[in-house]
Amino acid sequence: MTTPYSLTSALSAHMAQAIAARGGWIGFDEFMALALYTPGLGYYANDSTKFGTLPTAGSDFVTAPEMTPLFGQTLAAQVAQALQVTQTGEVWEFGAGSGALALQLLETLEALGHPLPCYSIVDLSGSLRARQQQTLEKYAGTVRWVSELPDTLQGVVIGNEVLDAMPVKLLARVSGVWYERGVASGPVRDPVADAQPAGVAPEWVWQDRLTELRPPVEIEGDHDYLTEIHPQGESFIRTLADKLSVGAAFLIDYGFPEHEYYHPQRHMGTVMCHLRHRSDPDPLSDVGLKDITAHVNFTGIALAAQEAGLNVLGYCTQARFLINCGLGPRLDASPLTVRVQAQRLIMEHEMGELFKVIGLYKGEPWDAMGFAQGDRTHTL
């Protein structure tokens, strides 16, 4: 069995080799990719428990489908409408986590009279794939796992908390000068022998390099400022636009439109880590053992989509989207314990306001039920 210490040590050694091969420095996006996705060692590639409601069970965070089945059941109404309008019959889910959302969608669509002939999951994690296969055992003939996209695809694309796990670049304005903030190896020295102890992995240190990169908007003021840009997330959207011949996509995540994301007061950036249901802002510690995320710039996502041939169906808070899709009647028909948990999906101080939903489509325009009221597309 891999212990946390041996996992972190092995991953650190691998990362040290990668950093040395790049001249002793890598951008934070490369560091984040290594920490999360190194085969067998990265956070999403190792066999540690990740999703769950209790830290005592070894989980690090909970997503909406694990919180309550009402999330997927309500989202299914929007998926059913999208399948009908676009005349497609397949759902593609990116980053399916434990498989809970897939199960909720499959069961509810079946109950609504829209059984799916095929449900495709795109997930880079082998350990999560095994868990998904267990969760979705009764749909073994319907669900398939793919590691790369076909040349073209049709259907409805779902991504719940996928964009926030895509590596970001860090930009730091220090004394009026812009740098790309990256990571270098810092030796762990024995204070007695004044030497690198044998078998001890290096520590990671921040290191800035001058850059021509800039945030997409001018940052007001002259104070020091740390933020992110999202080339990988936007590249993902462009790839999706290239592959999707007809259909729609619904991406659910925490984030802001551009004018809020790059507000002068948000000067510490949004990178955050999650371990045992606690958050911390230090991605350089416990590599491989904790999640690393950044909030989503939804304006950048919308622009990347439009530039690549997708159009925006709508953009609103998760609370408004779920209410538009019929969460209210489902809550009314649920037991009290279920209602209490599900309220977290829509409460402002929980997930309701911070989490947003953006809908994209290719084909003829149509009115998606999830954005019928409270659409904030004009704020992007």
Side-chain angles (χ1 to χ4, degrees), residues 128-199:
L128 286 177
R129 178 180 295 193
R131 182 174 176 183
Q132 293 158 12
Q133 289 171 336
Q134 289 182 336
T135 302
L136 300 166
E137 185 176 6
K138 73 175 182 177
Y139 290 101
T142 301
V143 180
R144 64 169 180 162
W145 283 262
V146 298
S147 56
E148 58 184 39
L149 296 178
D151 291 337
T152 61
L153 63 89
Q154 298 182 348
V156 177
V157 174
I158 298 296
N160 181 55
E161 294 198 49
V162 171
L163 293 173
D164 67 85
M166 294 188 178
V168 295
K169 286 185 174 293
L170 285 182
L171 300 183
R173 183 177 68 186
V174 182
S175 299
V177 179
W178 282 102
Y179 299 89
E180 179 176 359
R181 181 154 293 176
V183 180
S185 297
V188 179
R189 305 195 69 83
D190 185 326
V192 177
D194 192 29
Q196 176 80 20

Side-chain angles (χ1 to χ4, degrees), residues 76 130 176 245 252 279 323 367 369:
S245 59
I252 307 160
S279 300
I323 291 169
D367 294 326
M369 66 170 66

Side-chain angles (χ1 to χ4, degrees), residues 30-379:
E30 294 181 71
F31 179 89
M32 184 173 171
L34 288 168
L36 295 181
Y37 302 111
T38 295
L41 298 173
Y43 180 76
Y44 282 109
N46 64 50
D47 58 4
S48 65
T49 302
K50 297 162 181 65
F51 305 94
T53 57
L54 296 173
T56 53
S59 64
D60 297 318
F61 55 88
V62 61
T63 61
E66 279 84 30
M67 190 180 299
T68 170
L70 292 185
F71 178 77
Q73 292 167 8
T74 305
L75 178 59
Q78 177 62 91
V79 172
Q81 183 199 24
L83 290 168
Q84 183 176 21
V85 170
T86 61
Q87 292 296 290
T88 57
E90 186 171 0
V91 171
W92 291 76
E93 184 180 358
F94 285 81
S98 67
L101 178 57
L103 181 63
Q104 294 159 16
L105 289 174
L106 284 162
E107 289 179 338
T108 309
L109 288 170
E110 195 171 48
L112 291 172
H114 299 281
L116 291 176
C118 186
Y119 191 106
S120 298
I121 291 177
V122 186
D123 205 312
L124 300 178
S125 172
S127 62
L128 286 177
R129 178 180 295 193
R131 182 174 176 183
Q132 293 158 12
Q133 289 171 336
Q134 289 182 336
T135 302
L136 300 166
E137 185 176 6
K138 73 175 182 177
Y139 290 101
T142 301
V143 180
R144 64 169 180 162
W145 283 262
V146 298
S147 56
E148 58 184 39
L149 296 178
D151 291 337
T152 61
L153 63 89
Q154 298 182 348
V156 177
V157 174
I158 298 296
N160 181 55
E161 294 198 49
V162 171
L163 293 173
D164 67 85
M166 294 188 178
V168 295
K169 286 185 174 293
L170 285 182
L171 300 183
R173 183 177 68 186
V174 182
S175 299
V177 179
W178 282 102
Y179 299 89
E180 179 176 359
R181 181 154 293 176
V183 180
S185 297
V188 179
R189 305 195 69 83
D190 185 326
V192 177
D194 192 29
Q196 176 80 20
V200 177
E203 291 182 341
W204 310 117
V205 294
W206 295 113
Q207 193 174 100
D208 294 346
R209 291 191 172 184
L210 287 169
T211 183
E212 297 296 320
L213 296 172
R214 295 291 186 274
V217 297
E218 189 74 24
I219 307 299
E220 297 178 11
D222 57 4
H223 56 292
D224 290 353
Y225 193 89
L226 178 67
T227 193
E228 307 89 24
I229 55 174
H230 305 74
Q232 290 203 31
E234 291 165 10
S235 177
F236 164 74
I237 295 297
R238 286 190 287 269
T239 298
L240 181 60
D242 180 60
K243 302 290 187 181
L244 188 66
S245 59
V246 60
F250 297 92
L251 304 173
I252 307 160
D253 228 310
Y254 42 88
F256 313 100
E258 194 169 80
H259 70 279
E260 293 182 35
Y261 197 103
Y262 297 105
H263 193 281
Q265 292 181 354
R266 187 164 283 112
H267 62 93
M268 297 300 291
T270 71
V271 169
M272 191 59 61
C273 305
H274 305 279
L275 177 64
R276 299 294 185 264
H277 292 259
R278 293 184 177 182
S279 300
D280 74 80
D282 181 15
L284 303 190
S285 66
D286 298 320
V287 290
L289 299 182
K290 62 185 181 182
D291 190 19
I292 306 173
T293 73
H295 286 47
V296 177
N297 170 16
F298 281 101
T299 300
I301 295 300
L303 289 174
Q306 291 178 323
E307 290 168 359
L310 290 174
N311 293 300
V312 177
L313 270 174
Y315 166 75
C316 67
T317 65
Q318 177 176 285
R320 176 48 59 187
F321 181 85
L322 293 175
I323 291 169
N324 287 341
C325 291
L327 178 62
R330 290 186 178 275
L331 281 173
D332 293 340
S334 299
L336 177 60
T337 54
V338 175
R339 294 203 303 270
V340 169
Q341 278 294 90
Q343 286 287 339
R344 295 178 60 188
L345 298 175
I346 57 176
M347 295 176 73
E348 288 188 7
H349 66 283
E350 291 278 357
M351 303 175 72
E353 180 69 25
L354 179 60
F355 277 70
K356 312 296 194 308
V357 184
I358 189 168
L360 308 170
Y361 74 97
K362 184 173 284 188
E364 295 299 316
W366 52 285
D367 294 326
M369 66 170 66
F371 308 108
Q373 296 183 28
D375 187 3
R376 297 185 183 181
T377 303
H378 64 281
T379 68

